[in-house]
Amino acid sequence: MQNKIHTAQSAFQHWKTISFQDRALLLKRLKTVLDERRMHYAVLMTQEMGKPITQSLAEIDKCGWLCEYYAEHGESFLQNQYTQTEAQLSFVTYEPLGVLLGVMPWNFPFWQVFRFAVPAIMAGNTVLVKHASNVPKSAVGIESLFLESGFPLGVYQNLPISSDKVAEFIAHPFVKAVSLTGSEHAGSSVAMQAGKYLKKTLLELGGSNAFIVCEDADLEKAVAVAVNARMQNSGQSCIAAKRFLVHETIFDTFVDKYKLAVSQLRSGDPMDPETQIGSLARVDLAEDLEKQLQESVAMGAQIVLGGRRKEAFFEPTILTNVTPEMPVFKEETFGPVAALVSFKTLDEAISLSNQSDFGLGVSIFTANISQIKTRIHEFNEGAVFINDLVKSDPRLPFGGIKKSGYGRELSKEGILEFVNCKTVVIH
Ligand code: NAP
């Protein structure tokens, strides 16, 4: 496996000299191959981790969009920035770092890898990707996609290693930085190793987003979005809404409408295009969720819908009577469990929303845009979405604060994470 580091390093020596135009051309070809074989790759994901097929197809399409986005904008993001000083000339130039290591999770097996690798490669770096152990075919599939699209050998390599081998790769002098998307535990362990060797890290970790529904919100819209915000990817998403904070005057109506909408979700064979909820990726994940649910129920939470598990399948579940001390409120729930809490004032809602170790994002549903705009700075989050669910978009930076990690992916900020921002002064 260590040979791969040498391959990546020698590929870097060449790749960094390739023009932006030629890199962009390859990214466009990558999108074409993705488009041509979208069903093949979507099926791969669905078979490996159970994501409903329509969601797998949407994930492939989003990866194509990302390739197109950086093909079009990567060069302009990395143009020299000139600043007037007393020197004859002073500017900043952006240079690639070298070989990067990506450690990636299984929940969006293509998207997570693409949003790390595509901007990094566009900037002139080469990458090694240690993908999650339960999606080996997706991992191999992505590597062959890059090769088929014409990227030189060594620009993108799959690293089929177990997590206990990651430290050895971080330690290698050719590896310049690490990007990890995954759990708090994995993030902390990788950051500790990287810290030992003074290497940069970017961490995209867990989340427990609040979804606030104010008294004046468009209730029909809030309910419809709340279903998707929690149940998409069978609830296995870092940016899913997990804690629903609803104004007390509309709480009961919200519960009734939400219960009806969630109960209409179709579960079943993930290969069936009608299926909206599949099984979780592994039985142990469903068991962990069950434990969080049972402990919360023992502390007084009330199940108004679902609550049962059959092997890896977990029924879409709604809980009320939730308090901040319960696991479903204070821990990340990585499955289709929605915890509902009522609030009296916006101050209380903001305080509940911030009462979390995580800080990835928050959704607020309200008709009073001018009021909420004055309160945005009070949310301790990487993203605030008004009247929409929190979602990633190539055009906007994505990332968290607190235990949700640090650094940003996507947009201009994302491509600047893994470059040497070199200051040049000429007298
Ligand atoms: P995970 O167990 O942390 O695994 C993520 C990756 O890290 C896998 O490749 C895993 O390898 C590796 N890994 C695990 N422990 C490690 C260690 N001690 N040292 C080095 N590498 C290690 O997370 P997961 O269960 O796959 O994913 C779910 C988590 O990811 C959730 O917390 C979710 O919120 C978070 N997530 C965050 C974002 C975001 O953008 N913020 C996006 C998606 C997911 P193995 O598979 O071989 O163990």
Side-chain angles (χ1 to χ4, degrees), residues 13-157:
Q13 298 307 336
H14 171 62
W15 183 246
K16 68 179 178 184
T17 67
I18 299 274
S19 70
F20 284 119
Q21 289 87 340
D22 286 344
R23 290 182 204 153
L25 225 53
L26 288 172
L27 282 184
K28 285 184 180 159
R29 214 179 293 159
L30 184 59
K31 179 189 177 333
T32 306
V33 181
L34 270 173
D35 288 347
E36 284 167 2
R37 308 190 61 199
R38 67 193 282 272
M39 185 51 90
H40 169 77
Y41 292 116
V43 167
L44 207 62
M45 277 193 277
T46 294
Q47 285 174 344
E48 281 196 318
M49 51 71 70
K51 187 191 296 279
I53 190 71
T54 49
Q55 296 178 24
S56 294
L57 285 165
E59 183 171 338
I60 296 296
D61 294 343
K62 197 167 174 181
C63 292
W65 178 22
L66 181 84
C67 294
E68 203 166 45
Y69 175 80
Y70 279 110
E72 277 173 23
H73 301 285
E75 180 174 8
S76 66
F77 292 154
L78 298 171
Q79 286 303 296
N80 290 349
Q81 298 293 316
Y82 294 87
T83 303
Q84 286 250 295
T85 65
E86 53 288 339
Q88 192 187 335
L89 191 66
S90 45
F91 62 97
V92 174
T93 188
Y94 302 102
E95 295 174 356
L97 294 182
V99 180
L100 310 179
L101 175 65
V103 182
M104 294 292 137
W106 48 265
N107 61 338
F108 291 91
F110 271 60
W111 172 245
Q112 306 291 6
V113 172
F114 268 69
R115 76 180 187 187
F116 153 65
V118 166
I121 287 173
M122 184 61 188
N125 301 290
T126 57
V127 305
L128 294 165
V129 175
K130 181 261 177 285
H131 213 325
S133 333
N134 54 334
V135 288
K137 288 184 186 158
S138 297
V140 171
I142 297 170
E143 182 182 57
S144 53
L145 244 172
F146 274 86
L147 289 171
E148 269 178 54
S149 309
F151 282 86
L153 188 76
V155 170
Y156 181 104
Q157 291 179 92

Side-chain angles (χ1 to χ4, degrees), residues 104 106 112 115 130 133 181-183 186 189 204-206 238 332:
M104 294 292 137
W106 48 265
Q112 306 291 6
R115 76 180 187 187
K130 181 261 177 285
S133 333
T181 301
S183 61
S189 155
E204 294 285 6
L205 310 179
C238 54
E332 180 180 36

Side-chain angles (χ1 to χ4, degrees), residues 165-217:
K165 292 277 182 284
V166 168
E168 288 171 30
F169 284 81
I170 296 175
H172 196 287
F174 284 163
V175 172
K176 299 296 183 228
V178 194
S179 179
L180 177 134
T181 301
S183 61
E184 204 182 308
H185 170 75
S188 151
S189 155
V190 160
M192 219 143 56
Q193 285 301 322
K196 189 167 161 193
Y197 298 98
L198 299 175
K199 293 183 184 179
K200 175 165 181 169
T201 49
L202 183 147
L203 301 180
E204 294 285 6
L205 310 179
S208 184
N209 290 3
F211 186 106
I212 300 173
V213 188
C214 298
E215 195 177 5
D216 61 359

Side-chain angles (χ1 to χ4, degrees), residues 228-304:
N228 207 13
R230 174 66 279 203
M231 303 299 166
Q232 199 199 115
N233 207 23
S234 310
Q236 303 164 113
S237 170
C238 54
I239 48 169
K242 288 157 190 160
R243 301 172 297 138
F244 293 80
L245 314 178
V246 183
H247 193 271
E248 60 177 3
T249 55
I250 52 166
F251 188 79
D252 291 343
T253 318
F254 182 89
V255 172
D256 290 345
K257 287 179 184 288
Y258 192 49
K259 184 178 166 185
L260 180 68
V262 171
S263 65
Q264 285 169 349
L265 288 174
R266 291 181 64 151
S267 57
D269 177 4
M271 289 303 294
D272 180 346
E274 299 290 315
T275 296
Q276 294 162 300
I277 288 267
S279 292
L280 301 194
R282 300 191 310 256
V283 177
D284 63 298
L285 297 166
E287 287 169 348
D288 289 346
L289 187 63
E290 189 175 40
K291 213 176 290 166
Q292 290 173 306
L293 179 78
Q294 284 169 350
E295 275 178 37
S296 303
V297 168
M299 292 167 79
Q302 201 175 333
I303 298 174
V304 290

